[in-house]
Amino acid sequence: MLYNANKTQQVAHLEIPSLHSKNVLLLNAQGDVLYEKNADMIIYPASLTKIMTAIVAIEMTEDLQVQTIVEPQTITKFTAQNASMAGFRAGDFVTVEDLLYGTLLASGADATATLAEAIVGGEDAFVTFMNNKAHELGMKDTHFVNASGLHHEAHQSSVRDISKLLRYAMENPTFYEIFTSKSYTTYVPTKLTIANSLYTKIAGVEGTIVGGKAGYTPEAGLCLASLIEKEGQQFLLITANAKGHTWIPMHIEDALTVSNIL
């Protein structure tokens, strides 16, 4: 569906006064910009970083069923930093697929670190591949320092860059399947169900937002890269820098607001 000028103007006009996020970019399925606000401003991407972590891991792995182990020091390190965790335990044997779901659905730093270790032997080396991919995709405002999105002054991006990344990643069938999943259950060796918290924080999300990756740090604010479906059409909405905390889902409210006016 192609949007005429009047429709585009209407979307932009209706969004401006009502969104909590300081940085916004809305695209249709063809990549046309329907609305933007501070889309090129440098932001801290927080866990939106994990979109890059996941797509790089997918592209560097021939067999997603390859197993690796969750190292005790990984759990200790990220628990001490109060990072979000997928729920894996020290000594668990997990597949790359398990870790990808832990990365995108649960936003687990335990998952991202274990992926990096399994694929290239450590996070520093893995981040090099992340930055190389960013350069390849023309993400001129982006520089990654880690695979999890934990705050670092030099770990930066923009919502326009994140949109380039997400459009690219969603072309990969494995990424798309994980990104649009509501939950995933693994046995590592005990049962672990990983749920996408996007669908538990606020009513009305399921059926409207068909996929999403949220992020938060105090410095980044609330961030969300979401795939919205309305009347059979798909849209990408990238938002960042909304005030609040993870239990006050202003970023998800913004996505529902946009959906209501599309």
Side-chain angles (χ1 to χ4, degrees):
M1 178 177 178
L2 296 176
Y3 280 77
N4 59 38
N6 290 336
K7 180 67 174 179
T8 303
Q9 290 292 322
Q10 181 185 14
V11 170
H13 175 72
L14 289 175
E15 283 187 304
I16 293 172
S18 57
L19 297 184
H20 305 287
S21 302
K22 293 181 182 178
N23 310 91
V24 183
L25 187 66
L26 175 66
L27 307 174
N28 64 15
Q30 293 74 38
D32 301 319
V33 175
L34 303 184
Y35 175 69
E36 62 179 280
K37 178 174 73 171
N38 301 321
D40 297 303
M41 181 182 293
I42 298 299
I43 63 164
Y44 298 123
S47 285
L48 302 189
T49 299
K50 296 184 176 85
I51 299 169
M52 179 63 88
T53 306
I55 190 60
V56 169
I58 290 167
E59 291 182 346
M60 294 182 71
T61 306
E62 291 186 5
D63 182 3
L64 298 184
Q65 301 309 312
V66 167
Q67 285 195 326
T68 188
I69 192 169
V70 179
E71 298 290 351
Q73 58 266 32
T74 297
I75 303 299
T76 301
K77 173 183 177 181
F78 290 106
T79 301
Q81 295 183 63
N82 199 31
S84 57
M85 306 286 272
F88 299 114
R89 298 183 302 183
D92 280 347
F93 281 96
V94 294
T95 65
V96 170
E97 183 178 49
D98 295 335
L99 296 170
L100 288 168
Y101 277 95
T103 295
L104 287 175
L105 268 58
S107 203
D110 48 349
T112 61
T114 305
L115 273 176
E117 186 71 32
I119 292 170
V120 293
E123 188 170 34
D124 289 344
F126 189 83
V127 168
T128 299
F129 287 96
M130 293 171 63
N131 283 319
N132 288 345
K133 179 61 71 173
H135 178 75
E136 176 188 320
L137 296 177
M139 298 169 65
K140 296 182 291 186
D141 298 319
T142 298
H143 178 72
F144 297 113
V145 176
N146 57 61
S148 65
L150 286 171
H151 181 69
H152 188 289
E153 286 294 325
H155 191 96
Q156 300 178 340
S157 191
S158 67
V159 292
R160 196 180 309 279
D161 275 5
I162 297 296
S163 76
K164 294 176 182 178
L165 169 61
L166 186 56
R167 288 193 76 213
Y168 171 80
M170 288 201 310
E171 293 175 1
N172 182 288
T174 299
F175 180 94
Y176 188 90
E177 181 178 350
I178 299 171
F179 186 74
T180 56
S181 294
K182 305 298 185 292
S183 66
Y184 172 80
T185 300
T186 185
Y187 298 85
V188 290
T190 56
K191 182 178 179 180
L192 174 65
T193 298
I194 300 170
N196 190 333
S197 60
L198 184 66
Y199 299 99
T200 61
K201 289 182 179 296
I202 188 171
V205 174
E206 195 160 345
T208 300
I209 303 175
V210 296
K213 182 73 201 76
Y216 171 79
T217 66
E219 297 84 1
L222 292 162
C223 310
L224 180 62
S226 54
L227 176 63
I228 296 172
E229 194 162 275
K230 188 72 176 286
E231 297 177 357
Q233 303 300 314
Q234 290 190 331
F235 306 85
L236 285 185
L237 178 67
I238 316 296
T239 62
N241 224 341
K243 295 293 184 184
H245 301 277
T246 52
W247 58 89
I248 308 173
M250 298 298 192
H251 49 338
I252 304 175
E253 286 187 11
D254 281 351
L256 294 177
T257 298
V258 170
S259 174
N260 287 336
I261 62 177
L262 284 169

